[in-house]
Amino acid sequence: GTVAAADGGKGSMAATVVRATVRAVSKRRLQPSRAALTLTPSAVNKIRQLLKEKPDHVGLKIGVRTRGCNGLSYSLEYTKAKGESDEVVVQDGVTVFIEKKAQLSLLGTEMDYVEDKLSNEFVFNNPNIKGTCGCGESFNI
């Protein structure tokens, strides 16, 4: 009990806040959380365009594959159905499914679509990954 006394009881307060946060999140787990992944307008437009060409698919699925210098690489695939443990992000009428393995590393990530002279690709601006060996994460479809 001496630690709590030393910092004025702040330690126990912090623990309560954390518990409350976890409760709040698990309570609304059934609704798609907008915080899992944010799509930029250009990503939304590109996904909409891609899915228009694949009418039998319901959305894009983001998964994680292990490879490369930082060990993680995202994969993008068309999907016809929501997987049991997929997180669903619906934004501006497009649907993105996130595989369970990818959910933690994608939390708070912004998905952008960048077109320039050299390439057209989805780019994940990820605040969680520190070591991307200067290459970032990008995908060609």
Side-chain angles (χ1 to χ4, degrees):
T2 49
V3 177
D7 71 5
K10 274 188 219 129
S12 55
M13 245 166 57
T16 312
V17 173
V18 170
R19 270 205 302 278
T21 310
V22 171
R23 261 208 308 276
V25 168
S26 60
K27 208 183 291 173
R28 59 183 189 83
R29 201 169 65 216
L30 297 175
Q31 276 145 17
S33 120
R34 292 193 55 125
L37 180 70
T38 318
L39 306 176
T40 65
S42 87
V44 167
N45 289 338
K46 184 60 183 177
I47 293 170
R48 189 178 287 135
Q49 195 184 320
L50 289 168
L51 290 171
K52 207 177 281 178
E53 299 160 14
K54 307 254 183 201
D56 53 336
H57 292 72
V58 292
L60 278 187
K61 181 179 288 208
I62 305 175
V64 171
R65 303 290 169 265
T66 308
R67 69 137 183 104
C69 49
N70 65 343
L72 274 191
S73 142
Y74 298 122
S75 67
L76 282 178
E77 298 159 350
Y78 295 103
T79 186
K80 293 185 177 183
K82 176 191 181 300
E84 206 175 294
S85 54
D86 290 351
E87 169 116 31
V88 184
V89 175
V90 180
Q91 192 177 317
D92 301 324
V94 302
T95 307
V96 175
F97 301 91
I98 306 173
E99 275 181 13
K100 191 169 181 57
K101 280 189 303 195
Q103 286 167 16
L104 267 178
S105 61
L106 275 175
L107 202 64
T109 295
E110 178 188 71
M111 181 177 177
D112 193 7
Y113 183 71
V114 180
E115 292 185 76
D116 58 37
K117 289 191 189 83
L118 299 173
S119 62
N120 304 334
E121 57 193 11
F122 284 105
V123 177
F124 290 79
N125 300 313
N126 189 327
N128 306 313
I129 295 180
K130 298 287 179 281
T132 52
C133 65
C135 53
E137 277 292 357
S138 59
F139 304 84
N140 296 305
I141 278 200

